[in-house]
Amino acid sequence: MSKLQQSYDRWLKLLLGVCGGITSVLGCAVLAGWHTHNAALIKLLPALTPIPYNAALAFLLAGVAMLLIAWEKHHAATVVGGLVSFVGLVTLLEYVLETELGLDQFFMKTQAIGAQVLHPGRMAITTSICFMLIGLALAFPGLARRMGINSVLPGLLGTFVCAVAADAIFGHWTGVAISY
């Protein structure tokens, strides 16, 4: 491996570690907000809807998976990434099947804070799709490594999720509710 490639790998691991740390801290802060009933930690801005408990848990798990990949603990990252994907998939199934599978209130009985929502504690459908895809992207490197393949799939999934997030942010910023 060339020095340039080694330098690139070090910077990539550092970036992944920083992003994983920030994501984990965000998830922990929101979880702490739910446990302490602190609305300032649950809502990023007063005008926004609260971050559901399950979404905060998925953020924490996604951050941990990123840290595990940065630390080259690929098997553990595959398991944790799979959990992130599972949370997103179950929530998506609740929407598709128009049913309550209980995941929304499984870890903590939550109520909507300052927002009228149809399903208290349930993340938005786009959020569940994004967590499902990010979980797959985080789980895939460990699986691909064991199968001896290299794939652009995690990058494609991440790019899609970034595009959805950018659309939602733009929608909040401009007041176009259909974007989020």
Side-chain angles (χ1 to χ4, degrees), residues 130 159-171 179:
C130 287
T159 301
F160 177 77
V161 170
C162 285
V164 171
D167 180 54
I169 291 167
F170 183 75
S179 293

Side-chain angles (χ1 to χ4, degrees), residues 4 21 24 27 32 35 67 76 79 93 98 100 102 110 134-135 143 151-152 165 167 171 173 176:
L4 182 62
S24 296
H35 285 283
L67 289 169
V79 172
L93 286 174
E98 297 180 359
E100 296 285 336
T110 59
I134 284 297
L143 296 172
S151 175
V152 298
D167 180 54
W173 183 50
V176 179

Side-chain angles (χ1 to χ4, degrees), residues 110-132:
T110 59
Q111 297 295 321
I113 295 177
Q116 296 298 324
V117 293
L118 186 58
H119 304 286
R122 185 178 298 177
M123 67 182 89
I125 191 166
T126 53
T127 308
S128 65
I129 292 168
C130 287
F131 276 125
M132 187 179 69

Side-chain angles (χ1 to χ4, degrees), residues 82-160:
L83 290 172
V84 173
S85 198
F86 177 76
V87 170
L89 177 64
V90 170
T91 304
L92 182 61
L93 286 174
E94 287 181 317
Y95 280 110
V96 170
L97 300 175
E98 297 180 359
T99 188
E100 296 285 336
L101 297 176
L103 186 64
D104 303 338
Q105 304 290 321
F106 181 76
F107 296 104
M108 174 176 260
K109 303 289 185 218
T110 59
Q111 297 295 321
I113 295 177
Q116 296 298 324
V117 293
L118 186 58
H119 304 286
R122 185 178 298 177
M123 67 182 89
I125 191 166
T126 53
T127 308
S128 65
I129 292 168
C130 287
F131 276 125
M132 187 179 69
L133 296 177
I134 284 297
L136 289 173
L138 292 168
F140 190 79
L143 296 172
R145 189 181 197 111
R146 267 184 270 148
M147 294 186 292
I149 60 174
N150 192 2
S151 175
V152 298
L153 181 64
L156 292 174
L157 294 173
T159 301
F160 177 77

